Amino acid sequence: MTRTPTPAHLTEALLDAARKAGAESADAIVIEGTSVSVDVRAGALEHAERAEGMDLGLRVLIGRRQACVSSSDARPETLANMAERAVAMAREAPEDPWAGLADAAQLSDWRSGEGLELHDPAAEPDPAAVQDDACRAEAAALAVPGISQIDAASAGYGKRVVHLAATNGFSGGYLRSSRSISCVAITGEGTAMERDWAGEGRIFQADLPSAESIGTQAGERAAARAGARRPPSGAFPVLYDERVAASLIGHLAGAINGTSIARGSSWLRDALGEQVLPAALSLVEDPHRKRISGSRPFDAEGLPTARRLLVADGVLQGWVLDLGTARKLGLQSTANASRGPSAPPSPSLSNLALTQGAQSRDDLIREMGRGLLVTSMIGSTINPTTGDYSRGASGFWVEGGEIRYPVNECTIAGNLRDMLLRLTPANDARAHLGTVGPSLLVEGLALAGS
């Protein structure tokens, strides 16, 4: 009986094919996965999907020229064709003076996910159990007074193997799994409809909250939005609820990405060693947190990942780099390379945590007096070079230190460099998220409402 090749075997086969085709060096990535997703409506199955597949990616280098190809076909003749096509493309590609694999001395010794608990060893859930989760979430949301309908109730499961190998001697991989439940509830009718949602995802089924609690939370959030109207316009404090505050951290992370820095197109391009957050706040990346979906023992170029202070006591410590951006800037990679099968590596962050404060979200609401509590954001206009910021938002109007009524159809504007220096954090961050950040109060933002 012919054995199905594993992702590890396939990466080696791709490298062998690349060598035979004339590549001077190469790396290969194979991702094999299974996913199950179920949507329900009115207690009945609306959509169910099970997908099984494999993605193969090959990058070849000839001198400083590189090319990437990908396929979902693992037959030997396909691997040979991929390699030949990639080598032909690389020979015609422009030179990239910063392209190249890691030196052998740079490579990680940790080449599996052992110890990170990235995979739930429990059996894959039966599709009927996944559907039952979605149905129970929907029923719980509908049971909340004021909910008129459910826009979506979903549940899912996923498992994938990732393996990376390169001609510099690196070969490593790991297994990931995920389990999720989500629900979107609606209150009101016609043009007066408002919606909100709740969702949870975990690696381990045992860690996932109950479907009923997720549905109830979605219903309660939506019901609280009944009768939303526009807030007044002016300059007000804005409190970003914990579930949207991560977007501010994301803007900071994007501004210190090595790709933007190397291009000179970031609003923080000259801020290394300068104050970018209040002095009491630090921002940490920790890719080794257990049971967190963004954890990884090595990056997409085989370099060892490690916990790192990006911002220490408000001061920016460094950039987010892969090998290419590091070489261009005359620095060392920070092991932040990520990639998919069809593209070369690029820098990215995972598992961020911002310092929490001593006050609760309610404390900050009382402290802000009059202003906006943001619970949802739509669209964005962010100037990556200047940091000018404008986003649509909805949430609740605060008056006299108390929530008075729900609001919608408003726009928040400011400049990210100034905004981040005026942050006051709450203490409500959720530890299981990839970005662990609390609710954040920002003083003096421009608000356009009624």
Side-chain angles (χ1 to χ4, degrees):
M1 180 182 292
T2 302
R3 297 182 61 183
T4 302
T6 66
H9 291 144
L10 287 171
T11 56
E12 291 301 330
L14 281 167
L15 296 182
D16 287 342
R19 292 186 188 97
K20 291 176 183 176
E24 294 177 7
S25 59
D27 59 14
I29 185 169
V30 174
I31 304 171
E32 182 178 27
T34 300
S35 65
V36 176
S37 62
V38 173
D39 301 330
V40 301
R41 188 179 294 275
L45 180 66
E46 182 176 55
H47 177 78
E49 180 177 310
R50 177 183 174 85
E52 296 183 12
M54 181 181 291
D55 293 313
L56 303 90
L58 174 66
R59 177 174 63 141
V60 304
L61 296 103
I62 298 177
R64 294 298 182 180
R65 305 174 190 269
Q66 66 178 349
C68 296
V69 296
S70 63
S71 176
S72 57
D73 184 353
R75 292 177 299 173
E77 58 268 31
T78 302
L79 305 189
N81 289 337
M82 285 176 65
E84 290 167 3
R85 187 167 75 251
V87 168
M89 291 168 59
R91 286 181 173 140
E92 300 299 323
E95 283 200 1
D96 179 352
W98 321 114
L101 303 184
D103 295 333
Q106 294 176 286
L107 299 176
S108 173
D109 293 326
W110 187 7
R111 302 189 178 185
S112 73
E114 185 177 358
L116 291 178
E117 300 182 41
L118 300 177
H119 171 247
D120 187 347
E124 176 182 325
D126 186 86
V130 178
Q131 180 178 341
D132 183 59
D133 280 349
C135 287
R136 289 187 291 122
E138 181 188 46
L142 279 170
V144 175
I147 296 303
S148 56
Q149 59 183 295
I150 302 302
D151 183 60
S154 307
Y157 167 81
K159 179 179 70 176
R160 62 176 183 158
V161 180
V162 180
H163 199 92
L164 174 72
T167 54
N168 57 12
F170 183 84
S171 180
Y174 44 83
L175 181 63
R176 292 189 184 275
S177 64
S178 63
R179 193 73 166 80
S180 63
I181 303 172
S182 63
C183 184
V184 180
I186 296 174
T187 185
E189 303 288 344
T191 58
M193 286 195 303
E194 295 286 339
R195 71 185 64 209
D196 211 325
W197 71 282
E200 295 284 353
R202 299 289 194 280
I203 290 176
F204 282 73
Q205 172 70 44
D207 296 340
L208 189 67
S210 70
E212 289 80 5
S213 68
I214 294 168
T216 298
Q217 186 176 56
E220 290 175 346
R221 286 174 171 174
R225 298 204 45 73
R229 57 188 190 269
R230 291 184 179 182
S233 297
F236 298 100
V238 173
L239 177 58
Y240 289 77
D241 183 76
E242 178 267 341
R243 56 186 174 131
V244 296
S247 66
L248 292 178
I249 303 172
H251 293 315
L252 172 58
I256 61 175
N257 186 285
T259 301
S260 297
I261 299 302
R263 291 174 180 166
S265 60
S266 167
W267 50 275
L268 285 178
R269 59 190 177 277
D270 300 319
L272 193 62
E274 295 185 6
Q275 199 87 23
V276 296
L277 291 173
L281 301 188
S282 296
L283 182 64
V284 178
E285 181 192 26
D286 186 357
H288 297 166
R289 292 169 55 206
K290 294 182 179 180
R291 295 195 180 209
I292 303 299
S293 60
S295 294
R296 52 183 182 170
F298 51 83
D299 78 347
E301 293 174 309
L303 274 64
T305 54
R307 185 180 186 275
R308 179 181 174 223
L309 264 174
L310 299 168
V311 179
D313 299 323
V315 177
L316 181 60
Q317 302 297 301
W319 312 124
V320 179
L321 305 171
D322 63 354
L323 285 170
T325 54
R327 289 166 181 152
K328 189 170 184 178
L329 294 168
L331 301 170
Q332 295 296 313
S333 172
T334 56
N336 283 107
S338 64
R339 66 169 293 190
S342 60
S346 61
S348 72
L349 284 165
S350 61
N351 291 1
L352 297 177
L354 182 71
T355 305
Q356 296 202 64
Q359 298 171 288
S360 68
R361 193 190 75 159
D362 289 343
D363 291 334
L364 293 185
I365 289 173
R366 285 189 289 270
E367 183 178 295
M368 70 191 291
R370 185 172 190 242
L372 179 66
L373 167 62
V374 179
T375 58
S376 178
M377 309 199 80
I378 55 170
S380 66
T381 303
I382 310 296
N383 186 314
T385 303
T386 66
D388 288 337
Y389 172 98
S390 177
R391 294 204 65 180
S394 60
F396 298 88
W397 187 249
V398 174
E399 195 81 41
E402 296 182 0
I403 293 175
R404 298 297 183 180
Y405 56 85
V407 300
N408 58 13
E409 298 182 11
C410 61
T411 301
I412 303 168
N415 182 274
L416 286 166
R417 188 77 184 262
D418 299 329
M419 291 166 62
L420 292 176
L421 288 170
R422 300 199 304 269
L423 297 182
T424 301
N427 61 1
D428 57 347
R430 290 175 289 168
H432 71 273
L433 296 179
T435 297
V436 180
S439 297
L440 296 169
L441 176 63
V442 185
E443 297 287 347
L445 293 183
L447 183 63
S450 57

